């Protein structure tokens, strides 16, 4: 009984506190809510430590059992240890810190940045290939989608104004009117869903934080 | 048997329709690389939301404090880093004495911001760290960090990106919370970013805010721009290029727009080609079956 009611009471207390704080900007109450937010930041910081330990555990097991692609797990573990070490070493030691030219920033600039940028850039190629195959005028809806996509794409670049005068204005109208109507509907729906889910959690009807 | 094979063998048009995707990749690669080597210098037309972004920054008094969260990581660098640089040029070029407080809610964001500060603010305008600008670094906690800064910025970020206590930096003198901020200029690649800053800061503390986002996430923020919660908006590399045009400081975004222009054109040509082939193939199939197109 206590295993169920105590977490529910804690969730109710803190959840209700944050909701009330939004509507009642009262000094004492606001101070307590701010204190809770500070606790939240501390809890999140500990979650990061747990996350790092979990990555080590999962990949350590993978290497131990020699699961599929276990060699990549070795790379993950080594790079994590190296980056973590250089990130944590104090600047006074000469090889730590975040100053320009430090090993951590050198690895960040010359390894992490190009790799991440390359991964994301590949999207351009896959989008082109997917557009060639997917935007087919198979039905009225598909035709509307393809035509809209072409207008938005051509209107988004300077070349559009030269090749198809008025495409930029048409694109702006699509984005600010047609797109906005749909987006607002979705956003309001999502907000209502979030409110109802939050209320369920606060009132203990839904309990993602504990097992029965 | 021979007859059936002849019927099932794809025609030339069908073969083109099912072309190897590496041909598409090659076409895109060529059209992106060529204008980067030989720029076309296409004229750039400034959108109203970009003008609004510019006007919002112009509207704040001289020597104001600007909160400059750069919520992105290297994955979005190609689009958003030119934007960060263009905005920094605007902050520092007019010598208005603006105080810039940078931070990042993406773990890999603050080193990129620091690089932009050094390359633009320090090297080109002689701005001084801790006096004209500061990088508060990264703090995990997403919306909690945003809300917590409403109570106290120094409490939420006791040290900066380098681990220096922010109380020791002259720029932070007298800055407590959002009441001391004239404008929030966000560069955002997603969550946590523009949407959360609007929800946690603009709607609660009534702070003036503008945002620069990736092209793909911009549609998400149009409702906030239309409602006035965002005073201005930069949309992807296009927005950055228009901003460079507006401040008269052409950089990587402007040169990148030529590549993006041709890239979009090639994708559209592929869409048209795909549809022409689709219609012709469908017509041929119907004709072979004896039906009507």
């Amino acid at each position: 009984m206590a295993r169920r009611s105590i977490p529910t009471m804690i969730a109710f207390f803190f959840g209700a506190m944050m909701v009330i704080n939004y509507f009642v900007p009262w000094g004492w109450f606001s101070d307590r809510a701010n204190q809770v937010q500070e606790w939240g930041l501390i809890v999140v910081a500990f979650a990061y430590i747990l996350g790092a330990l979990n990555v080590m555990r999962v990949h350590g097991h993978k290497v131990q059992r020699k699961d599929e692609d276990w060699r990549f797990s070795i790379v993950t573990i080594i790079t994590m240890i190296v980056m973590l070490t250089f990130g944590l070493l104090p600047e006074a030691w000469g090889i730590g810190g975040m100053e320009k030219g430090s090993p951590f920033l050198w690895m960040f600039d010359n390894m992490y940045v190009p790799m991440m940028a390359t991964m994301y850039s590949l999207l351009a190629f896959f989008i082109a290939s997917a557009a060639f195959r997917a935007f087919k005028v198979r039905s009225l809806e598909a035709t509307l989608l393809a035509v809209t996509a072409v207008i938005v794409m051509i209107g988004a670049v300077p070349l559009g104004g030269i090749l198809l005068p008025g495409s930029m204005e048409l694109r702006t109208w699509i984005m600010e009117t047609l797109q906005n109507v749909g987006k607002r509907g979705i956003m309001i729906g999502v907000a209502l869903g979030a409110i109802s889910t939050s209320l369920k959690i606060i009132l203990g009807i839904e309990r993602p934080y504990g097992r029965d | 048997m021979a007859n059936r094979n002849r019927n099932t063998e794809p025609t030339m048009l069908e073969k083109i329709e099912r072309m190897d995707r590496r041909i598409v990749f090659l076409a895109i690669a060529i059209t992106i690389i060529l204008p980067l080597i030989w720029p076309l210098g296409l004229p750039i037309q400034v959108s109203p939301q970009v003008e609004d972004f510019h006007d919002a920054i112009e509207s704040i008094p001289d020597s104001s404090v600007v909160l400059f969260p750069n919520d992105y990581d290297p994955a979005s660098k190609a689009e958003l880093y030119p934007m960060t640089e263009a905005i920094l040029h605007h902050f520092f070029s007019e010598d208005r004495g603006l105080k810039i407080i940078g931070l990042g809610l993406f773990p890999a964001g603050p080193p990129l911001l620091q690089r932009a500060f050094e390359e633009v603010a320090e090297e080109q305008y002689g701005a001084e760290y801790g006096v004209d600008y500061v990088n508060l670094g990264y703090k995990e906690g997403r919306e909690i960090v945003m809300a917590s800064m409403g109570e106290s910025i120094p409490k939420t970020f006791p040290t900066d990106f380098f681990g220096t206590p922010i109380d020791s930096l002259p720029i932070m003198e007298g800055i407590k919370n959002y009441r001391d901020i004239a404008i929030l200029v966000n560069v955002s690649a997603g969550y946590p970013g523009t949407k959360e800053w609007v929800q946690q800061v603009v709607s609660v503390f009534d702070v003036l805010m503008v945002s620069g986002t990736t092209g793909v996430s911009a549609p998400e923020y149009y409702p906030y721009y239309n409602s006035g919660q965002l005073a201005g908006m930069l949309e992807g590399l296009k927005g950055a290029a228009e901003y460079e045009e507006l401040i008269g400081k052409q950089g990587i975004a402007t040169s990148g727009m030529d590549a993006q222009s041709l890239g979009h054109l090639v994708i559209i040509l592929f869409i048209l080609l795909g549809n022409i082939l689709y219609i012709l193939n469908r017509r041929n199939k119907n004709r072979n079956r004896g039906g009507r197109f």
Side-chain angles (χ1 to χ4, degrees), chain B residues 176-199:
Chain B
K176 192 170 180 275
N177 52 34
Y178 294 126
R179 280 191 207 98
D180 307 304
I181 303 293
I183 189 169
L184 195 163
V185 182
N186 182 218
V187 183
S188 155
Y191 175 77
T194 295
K195 193 168 154 186
E196 290 68 37
W197 284 108
V198 170
Q199 290 169 346

Side-chain angles (χ1 to χ4, degrees), chain A residues 35-88:
Chain A
Q35 206 165 16
V36 172
Q37 279 172 358
E38 278 174 39
W39 296 351
L41 288 176
I42 295 165
V43 171
V44 166
F46 276 101
Y48 244 59
I49 297 169
L50 280 179
L53 289 175
N54 196 39
V55 169
M56 296 293 268
R57 193 179 63 92
V58 168
H59 287 278
H61 283 173
K62 222 171 161 182
V63 174
Q64 216 172 16
R65 292 195 302 260
K66 290 208 169 31
D67 283 351
E68 200 188 343
D69 295 333
W70 63 276
R71 289 175 183 88
F72 294 131
S73 293
I74 296 180
V75 177
T76 306
I77 293 170
I78 292 172
T79 47
M80 194 171 155
I81 291 171
V82 170
M83 289 300 277
L84 206 63
T85 308
F86 282 105
L88 292 174

Side-chain angles (χ1 to χ4, degrees), chain A residues 41-196:
Chain A
L41 288 176
I42 295 165
V43 171
V44 166
F46 276 101
Y48 244 59
I49 297 169
L50 280 179
L53 289 175
N54 196 39
V55 169
M56 296 293 268
R57 193 179 63 92
V58 168
H59 287 278
H61 283 173
K62 222 171 161 182
V63 174
Q64 216 172 16
R65 292 195 302 260
K66 290 208 169 31
D67 283 351
E68 200 188 343
D69 295 333
W70 63 276
R71 289 175 183 88
F72 294 131
S73 293
I74 296 180
V75 177
T76 306
I77 293 170
I78 292 172
T79 47
M80 194 171 155
I81 291 171
V82 170
M83 289 300 277
L84 206 63
T85 308
F86 282 105
L88 292 174
L89 284 177
E91 200 193 324
W93 291 16
I95 50 166
M98 299 283 180
E99 291 291 344
K100 208 174 174 179
S102 67
F104 181 87
L105 268 193
W106 187 89
M107 285 187 285
F108 181 85
D109 286 338
N110 298 294
M111 292 158 91
Y112 185 69
V113 172
M115 281 192 282
M116 285 281 277
T118 305
M119 288 295 290
Y120 198 73
S121 305
L122 291 177
L123 265 182
F125 298 94
F126 292 116
I127 286 172
S129 171
F132 173 62
R133 282 165 221 286
F135 281 129
K136 297 281 166 67
V137 289
R138 289 191 177 94
S139 62
L140 177 66
E141 291 86 348
T143 309
L144 283 174
L145 186 69
V147 171
T148 313
V150 168
I151 294 170
V152 170
M153 260 194 280
I154 199 74
V157 287
L159 197 60
I162 298 165
L163 293 178
L164 196 66
S167 59
M168 280 187 139
E169 290 74 14
L170 193 55
R171 178 190 180 271
T172 306
W173 180 78
I174 290 171
M175 296 298 281
E176 290 201 4
T177 312
L178 294 183
Q179 187 272 142
N180 234 352
V181 173
K183 200 83 215 174
R184 275 193 187 133
I186 293 168
M187 283 169 78
I188 292 168
V190 169
L192 291 173
I195 291 169
S196 68

Side-chain angles (χ1 to χ4, degrees), chain A residues 34 135 137 153 156 171 180, chain B residues 19 151 226 235 238 264 275:
Chain A
N34 287 331
F135 281 129
V137 289
M153 260 194 280
R171 178 190 180 271
N180 234 352
Chain B
M19 78 165 84
E151 199 238 332
N226 277 22
E235 205 179 318
K238 173 181 175 276
H264 279 209
N275 278 294

Side-chain angles (χ1 to χ4, degrees), chain B:
Chain B
M1 186 69 184
N3 207 7
R4 204 171 74 192
N5 278 346
R6 207 179 303 136
N7 285 342
T8 52
E9 200 170 297
T11 62
M12 180 56 80
L13 286 177
E14 283 172 335
K15 278 183 187 168
I16 301 173
E17 197 184 359
R18 291 176 207 158
M19 78 165 84
D20 191 331
R21 60 181 182 167
R22 282 173 294 187
I23 296 171
V24 181
F25 294 169
L26 185 68
I28 287 288
I30 292 169
T31 47
I32 287 175
I33 292 167
L34 288 182
L36 289 175
I37 301 168
W38 295 288
L40 304 172
L42 294 167
I44 289 169
Q45 193 182 323
V46 180
S47 322
Q49 60 266 34
V50 177
E51 274 181 36
D52 290 343
F53 188 110
H54 180 267
D55 294 347
I57 294 178
E58 287 288 305
S59 73
I60 59 168
D62 289 354
S63 308
S64 294
V65 179
V66 178
L67 190 65
F68 190 40
N70 274 241
D71 303 323
Y72 64 93
D73 59 17
S76 316
K77 181 176 171 268
E79 251 188 315
L80 297 181
Y81 191 76
M83 203 179 271
T84 301
E85 286 196 325
I87 296 167
L88 285 175
H89 276 296
H90 190 193
F91 286 156
F92 291 102
S93 63
E94 290 169 2
D95 204 16
R96 294 170 62 196
L98 297 176
K99 310 279 177 207
I100 315 299
I101 301 177
L103 62 112
L105 297 181
F106 274 44
L112 287 178
L113 175 63
Q114 187 56 32
R115 192 204 284 185
F117 272 137
E118 285 164 8
E119 285 177 358
V120 178
E122 263 181 39
E123 288 173 17
Q124 299 192 38
Y125 301 101
E128 198 182 330
Y129 186 85
V131 178
D132 303 304
Y133 75 92
V134 66
N135 183 356
L136 298 183
Y138 165 73
K139 173 76 95 180
E140 179 53 66
R142 303 164 193 208
E143 288 99 328
I144 307 176
V145 176
M146 298 172 186
S148 179
M149 287 169 75
E151 199 238 332
S152 169
I153 295 173
K155 253 186 178 178
T156 314
F157 286 90
T159 56
D160 70 357
F161 176 65
F162 302 103
T164 314
I166 65 165
D167 297 343
S168 63
L169 301 171
I171 189 174
M172 294 306 292
E173 239 170 66
I175 295 172
K176 192 170 180 275
N177 52 34
Y178 294 126
R179 280 191 207 98
D180 307 304
I181 303 293
I183 189 169
L184 195 163
V185 182
N186 182 218
V187 183
S188 155
Y191 175 77
T194 295
K195 193 168 154 186
E196 290 68 37
W197 284 108
V198 170
Q199 290 169 346
Q200 299 293 330
V201 180
V202 175
S203 54
V204 179
F205 301 97
D206 199 24
V207 176
L208 177 68
M209 178 177 170
V210 289
S211 168
T213 70
T214 51
V216 73
S217 60
E220 183 94 16
Y221 308 125
Y222 266 94
Y224 296 116
Y225 171 64
N226 277 22
S227 68
Q229 286 167 302
L230 287 179
M233 212 168 95
L234 303 183
E235 205 179 318
L237 193 69
K238 173 181 175 276
E242 290 176 17
Y243 205 68
E244 285 181 352
E245 178 77 13
L246 208 55
I247 59 169
K249 191 92 193 172
Q250 287 169 343
I252 24 176
T254 306
S255 55
M257 274 322 282
D258 288 345
Q260 194 165 318
S261 279
L262 290 188
H264 279 209
L265 182 66
V266 168
I267 293 175
I268 290 166
L269 290 177
F270 271 117
I271 292 173
L272 291 176
L273 176 69
N275 278 294
I276 291 167
L277 292 168
Y278 170 72
I279 291 167
L280 289 176
N281 283 328
R282 200 168 64 167
R283 183 181 285 172
N284 287 345
K285 271 180 197 162
N286 283 340
R287 201 174 284 158
N288 289 343
R289 280 194 215 119
R292 286 176 60 219
F293 176 64

